[in-house]
Amino acid sequence: MLNVKILGSGCANCIRLERNVRALAEKHNLQLEIEKVTDYAEIMKWPILSTPGLVINNRLVSAGKIPSDPQLLEWLSQV
Amino acid sequence: MDQTLSTQKKPEIPWRLIGLVVLAAIAWIATYSVIQPLANWIAYGLLAQRQGSRLGDSLAFFFYDVPKIILLLGGMIFLISLLRTFFSAEQTRSWLGGKREGVGNVLAAMLGIVTPFCSCSAVPLFIGFVESGIPLGVTFSFLIAAPTINEVAVVLLFGLFGWKVAGLYIASGLIISILAGVVIGRLKMERYVEDFVWQMQSQDAGVIEKLTLQERIERSWESVKEIVGKVWLYVLAGIAVGAGIHGYVPDAALAGIMGRQEWWSVPAAVLVGVPLYSNAAGVIPIVSALMEKGASLGTVLAFMMSVVGLSLPETIILRRVLKPQLIAVFIGVIAAAIIITGYLFNWIM
């Protein structure tokens, strides 16, 4: 099961990113473990300067933007 | 941990998309050129108001300004966003690294205009900059310029006042950010940054993304939809109030209280503007109507800067990394810089 972390302290884009990920997971029946990381000390362990950050299986894949749905799906459906 | 940003791109020229952009530009120009006759026709023809009557002039003003501002916002936000896809916080950090104070402050303020920035990212950005050894004052120059020189405000000023005032706004935003950053740097406020910031281990910058033209265009279109979707209602409300002032308030009514003769008008404008956190989109149309009635430029700029630049949400977010003393200095220095700029413009104009 993929572990997905959404890094962000509750900005509008962070909330939207989480919603998009959950919607995709439901639509395509993906088994994901979704975590929201809101603590700055924890967020800053990743090399990001802008939120939201997206971490999949301990790998930072995007920062500072909301990736498109096809792009998200590609990342989320990797085995 | 493998900490890389994925980058796999195929460089293709998106002719279809370029064609669409060109078509949209032509449609934009065509629409823009018929706004004035259309507004007159609606106000004086369709609604049968007399030209020169208060209601008629207010209506013509409203039906002209609303489509004009919405079109300008759409077109210019697209261009600004396109420019911004060539910049990123990571890139800016690497440019600022190793710069001395002074040069660093100027560069940071200028990069603050073009680097995509959301005040919700102020904290990671602050930590990331300070961590990599960028001086505190230089970091502040960036953090002040980024929200103060606001793209929506620039577009509205351009549309309602012309390019000179828009340029003055950008210039005064730069001056304020540079000055405030230099002062904060000189005050040696490092100990008023929350301790956990200094305890974090430093991180290398994430990989700087390479985008294709198609992605740049798509992203710019996304931000047009997002920004225009967020501000159009404020624009509408602001222009409605402005149109009312335009038609009903007698000329030069405000020269007494907001004119340049009164020394206290600039600080008073800042005092009123700071707590009044609002969106540039709603304030500027009102301000434009006020100026038409005798308010002076410096006073008006000071008011706008304090409304737009000193934002409460950003200050609250920054409180997580700054101790109250530094927050107080941050607000005080910006307010002082805005007042100085206000006087400057009242004096030179």
Side-chain angles (χ1 to χ4, degrees):
Chain A
M1 187 158 67
L2 285 179
N3 172 278
V4 178
K5 291 190 181 73
I6 290 155
L7 316 176
S9 59
C11 57
N13 282 346
C14 312
I15 295 165
R16 210 180 309 159
L17 176 60
E18 188 196 355
R19 206 169 47 212
N20 290 359
V21 170
R22 288 193 189 279
L24 276 177
E26 195 167 326
K27 192 170 160 199
H28 298 273
N29 235 339
L30 305 169
Q31 296 298 311
L32 305 176
E33 180 196 358
I34 300 172
E35 272 177 66
K36 273 189 82 178
V37 182
T38 53
D39 179 32
Y40 280 117
E42 201 57 39
I43 291 174
M44 293 309 291
K45 287 185 179 160
W46 304 90
I48 70 171
L49 289 178
S50 44
T51 52
L54 180 64
V55 172
I56 297 174
N57 275 359
N58 275 338
R59 185 166 155 263
L60 180 69
V61 294
S62 115
K65 60 168 188 191
I66 300 175
S68 65
D69 276 3
Q71 176 70 81
L72 276 176
L73 191 60
E74 192 188 317
W75 285 329
L76 293 174
S77 46
Q78 57 184 297
V79 190
Chain B
M1 271 189 252
D2 175 18
Q3 299 176 330
T4 45
L5 290 168
S6 82
T7 43
Q8 348 126 281
K9 304 278 130 78
K10 29 191 178 331
E12 262 169 42
I13 300 173
W15 291 115
R16 236 177 66 92
L17 202 59
I18 293 175
L20 267 175
V21 172
V22 171
L23 276 181
I26 295 170
W28 190 96
I29 294 168
T31 319
Y32 196 83
S33 60
V34 298
I35 298 173
Q36 181 73 77
L38 202 64
N40 287 343
W41 177 75
I42 292 176
Y44 305 123
L46 195 64
L47 298 174
Q49 295 300 320
R50 201 162 39 78
Q51 204 150 355
S53 72
R54 285 179 165 179
L55 185 61
D57 282 358
S58 285
L59 285 172
F61 184 91
F62 181 80
F63 286 115
Y64 172 64
D65 271 357
V66 169
K68 180 175 112 173
I69 294 303
I70 299 285
L71 271 178
L72 274 176
L73 270 177
M76 289 177 68
I77 296 291
F78 182 80
L79 294 178
I80 295 170
S81 305
L82 201 60
L83 175 71
R84 282 190 172 162
T85 62
F86 292 90
F87 295 85
S88 69
E90 286 80 10
Q91 179 70 69
T92 291
R93 178 168 71 171
S94 76
W95 278 331
L96 289 177
K99 289 283 179 305
R100 278 177 304 115
E101 286 193 339
V103 180
N105 291 98
V106 174
L107 191 64
M110 282 165 37
L111 286 169
I113 306 178
V114 287
T115 308
F117 173 82
C118 148
S119 58
C120 53
S121 292
V123 166
L125 195 123
F126 178 85
I127 297 176
F129 274 32
V130 173
E131 278 288 289
S132 70
I134 295 172
L136 197 59
V138 175
T139 304
F140 270 108
S141 279
F142 180 87
L143 276 181
I144 297 168
T148 305
I149 305 170
N150 172 290
E151 70 271 29
V152 173
V154 171
V155 174
L156 281 156
L157 286 175
F158 174 76
L160 295 168
F161 293 86
W163 64 269
K164 274 188 194 157
V165 173
L168 279 177
Y169 167 81
I170 295 176
S172 50
L174 280 174
I175 297 169
I176 290 166
S177 322
I178 295 167
L179 277 183
V182 168
V183 170
I184 291 173
R186 283 294 149 85
L187 290 175
K188 302 273 172 245
M189 305 287 293
E190 280 75 4
R191 66 201 140 110
Y192 295 113
V193 171
E194 292 289 353
D195 303 319
F196 84 92
V197 173
W198 304 113
Q199 285 151 12
M200 303 197 60
Q201 60 211 38
S202 76
Q203 291 278 3
D204 291 335
V207 174
I208 293 160
E209 269 187 303
K210 287 267 183 296
L211 294 173
T212 62
L213 182 60
Q214 168 139 16
E215 285 168 316
R216 290 183 202 280
I217 294 175
E218 282 168 0
R219 251 185 228 191
S220 309
W221 176 237
E222 283 303 312
S223 56
V224 168
K225 281 195 291 188
E226 192 190 327
I227 294 177
V228 175
K230 209 159 54 185
V231 305
W232 70 270
L233 205 60
Y234 293 92
V235 172
L236 215 67
I239 293 176
V241 175
I245 296 173
H246 174 83
Y248 290 91
V249 174
D251 285 352
L254 292 165
I257 35 171
M258 291 181 81
R260 76 177 84 183
Q261 290 81 6
E262 305 297 338
W263 66 269
W264 46 265
S265 67
V266 172
V270 173
L271 268 182
V272 175
V274 171
L276 194 87
Y277 171 70
S278 149
N279 174 310
V283 176
I284 294 173
I286 300 175
V287 154
S288 112
L290 292 179
M291 244 181 92
E292 196 184 309
K293 304 297 176 188
S296 72
L297 183 61
T299 309
V300 158
L301 272 176
F303 177 70
M304 244 161 40
M305 288 286 183
S306 50
V307 169
V308 181
L310 268 172
S311 86
L312 193 61
E314 198 199 356
T315 314
I316 292 172
I317 288 169
L318 282 175
R319 173 63 191 90
R320 303 229 199 156
V321 280
L322 308 178
K323 293 180 184 165
Q325 293 92 327
L326 186 45
I327 289 281
V329 169
F330 174 72
I331 296 173
V333 167
I334 301 178
I338 294 175
I339 291 175
I340 294 170
T341 326
Y343 279 128
L344 193 72
F345 283 122
N346 273 351
W347 179 62
I348 58 172
M349 298 308 271

